[in-house]
């Protein structure tokens, strides 16, 4: 979940690195090293930058994305809080299934389609990747060449990998030395897989592995996001070549992704959303984290990014257009959420309704979110735009990447250290969510200041 297309980083400010002369004394060299370190890792400046409430790039910064990103992150944390407990730790699973899974009042719990928040992140990723590449092309005298594409991809790789690999190492080291609890098998599996398959995270291909072999399972999103990110230059090339060719290619890719989702769902009799038990591994193994089933929202994001970056005239010219758009958008998104409950049961055989929903709901959700962004940017967002564009989201936006990366570690640690099963009640799980959320924000801030942001300063110094 993540900029350009991931969570925003601090500005790449330049600092002069003092050179140490060979004739300096050891004391002078030590002093020079300390001075260099303080310049490269300016803790005070980093702390202040993370807590700022104004955007680094207020013009054309798509400020509504801040609120969309953070609300989606909260939804994911809420879902993981419930999901990881419902899989292994509940002592009243029957009550859970009867009161939660079929009740739309629990839409923000795991019973609701929390996975749609991931599709929101994919949309944002595609939008910002297109914007970033088009900006780089503009700065390079309107040239799109292999050197620019290589630099574009490498910058993305450097952007996400330091914190990503730090979390992998942290999970291995921390869970290897801490005292075990009664439900330690989840943490133990994580350590075993990461020791064996850590290199798949380094290469950003772990989403292609068997679900039981994935190191730090929540990091599949980073691999998927990078794989999709690598397709942006090709689509931008087609756009610059001919808009009709881009439209045809995009339609073909969207159709193939939707068909793949529908056919896999029908042939394997898959549920339309994540099951609350581990009985349906095929859902994760063949569908959930695979690029050929999840490309639709990212593709729509790329197209939205191209449009919003290159448009000369606004899409909306009249109030009635905006009103019709908002009505269609909100109604459509509500129907998608409602259908997740109607089709919640696992089909005993091939099911046309399940297949159609699986093939279409992710792109349609992405279209709804894209409409919200466009309407807000063109001045038709009203109070929704005021909410999503509030400066209060900016500090949270600055630590969103670290929060996404660390929150499953905290949830797994809590669940694995339990000596007795967890008893589900609405109040218990609300407190559990709030506790995980507060700890996630605090530790996410620390990781952003000490791991993620200092690397950006170091990157500016070493070129």
């Amino acid at each position: 979940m993540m900029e350009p297309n991931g969570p925003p980083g601090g500005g790449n400010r330049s600092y002069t690195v003092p050179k140490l002369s060979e004739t300096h004394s050891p004391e002078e060299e030590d002093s020079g090293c300390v001075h260099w370190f303080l310049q490269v890792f300016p803790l005070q400046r980093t702390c202040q930058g993370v807590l700022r409430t104004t955007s680094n790039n207020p013009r054309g910064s798509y400020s509504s994305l801040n609120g969309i990103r953070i609300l989606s992150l909260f939804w994911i944390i809420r879902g993981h809080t419930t999901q990881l407990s419902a899989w292994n730790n509940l002592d009243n699973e029957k009550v859970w299934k009867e009161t939660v899974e079929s009740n739309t009042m629990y839409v923000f719990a795991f019973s609701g389609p929390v996975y749609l928040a991931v599709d929101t992140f994919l949309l944002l990723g595609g939008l910002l990747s297109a914007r970033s590449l088009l900006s780089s092309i503009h700065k390079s005298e309107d040239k799109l060449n292999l050197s620019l594409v290589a630099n574009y991809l490498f910058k993305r790789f450097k952007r996400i990998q330091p914190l990503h690999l730090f979390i992998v190492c942290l999970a291995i080291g921390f869970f290897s030395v801490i005292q075990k609890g009664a439900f330690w098998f989840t943490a133990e599996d994580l350590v075993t897989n990461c020791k064996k398959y850590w290199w798949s995270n380094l290469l950003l291909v772990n989403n292609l592995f068997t679900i039981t072999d994935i190191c730090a399972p929540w990091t599949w999103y980073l691999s998927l996001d990078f794989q999709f990110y690598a397709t942006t230059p090709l689509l931008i090339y087609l756009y610059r070549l001919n808009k009709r060719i881009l439209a045809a290619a995009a339609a073909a890719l969207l159709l193939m992704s939707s068909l793949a989702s529908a056919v896999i769902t029908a042939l394997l009799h898959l549920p339309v959303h994540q099951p609350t038990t581990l009985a349906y591994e095929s859902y994760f193994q063949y569908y959930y984290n695979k690029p050929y089933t999840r490309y639709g929202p990212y593709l729509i994001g790329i197209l939205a990014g191209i449009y919003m970056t290159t448009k000369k005239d606004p899409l909306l010219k009249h109030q009635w257009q905006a009103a019709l758009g908002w009505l269609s958008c909100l109604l459509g998104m509500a129907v998608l959420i409602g259908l997740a409950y109607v089709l919640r049961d696992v089909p005993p055989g091939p099911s046309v309704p399940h297949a159609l929903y699986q093939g279409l709901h992710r792109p349609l959700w992405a279209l709804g979110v894209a409409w919200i962004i466009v309407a807000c940017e063109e001045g038709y967002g009203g109070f929704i735009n005021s909410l999503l564009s509030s400066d209060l989201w900016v500090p949270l936006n600055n630590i969103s990447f670290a929060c996404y990366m660390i929150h499953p570690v905290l949830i797994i640690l809590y669940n694995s250290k339990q000596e007795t099963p967890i008893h589900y009640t609405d109040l218990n799980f609300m407190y559990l969510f709030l506790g995980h959320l507060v700890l996630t924000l605090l530790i996410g801030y620390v990781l952003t200041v000490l791991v993620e942001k200092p690397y950006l300063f170091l990157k500016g110094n070493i070129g």
Side-chain angles (χ1 to χ4, degrees), residues 166-178 190-191 194-195:
F166 177 86
I167 293 295
V168 171
C169 294
L170 176 67
I172 294 174
F174 188 64
F175 287 128
S176 295
V177 300
I178 196 170
L190 187 152
V191 172
C194 283
K195 286 182 176 180

Side-chain angles (χ1 to χ4, degrees), residues 178-191:
I178 196 170
Q179 185 177 0
K180 297 181 180 180
F183 294 88
W184 197 250
F185 51 86
T186 302
E188 196 167 22
D189 288 344
L190 187 152
V191 172

Side-chain angles (χ1 to χ4, degrees), residues 24 30 65 67 75 80 109 112 168 173 188 192 227 233 244 257 267 283 311 347 444 450:
H24 284 178
D30 289 343
L65 269 60
W75 198 4
H80 282 163
V168 171
E188 196 167 22
T192 300
Q227 292 157 16
R244 292 183 178 179
S257 179
L267 293 180
Y283 177 86
K311 68 175 182 176
L450 297 182

Side-chain angles (χ1 to χ4, degrees), residues 89-118:
N89 290 72
L90 292 186
D91 65 359
N92 58 339
E93 183 179 350
K94 184 177 180 180
V95 174
W96 154 267
K97 289 183 174 296
E98 291 176 351
T99 61
V100 177
E101 282 193 330
S102 60
N103 191 336
T104 54
M105 295 299 294
Y106 293 89
V107 65
F108 294 110
F110 179 65
S111 60
V114 174
Y115 52 82
L116 290 174
V118 178

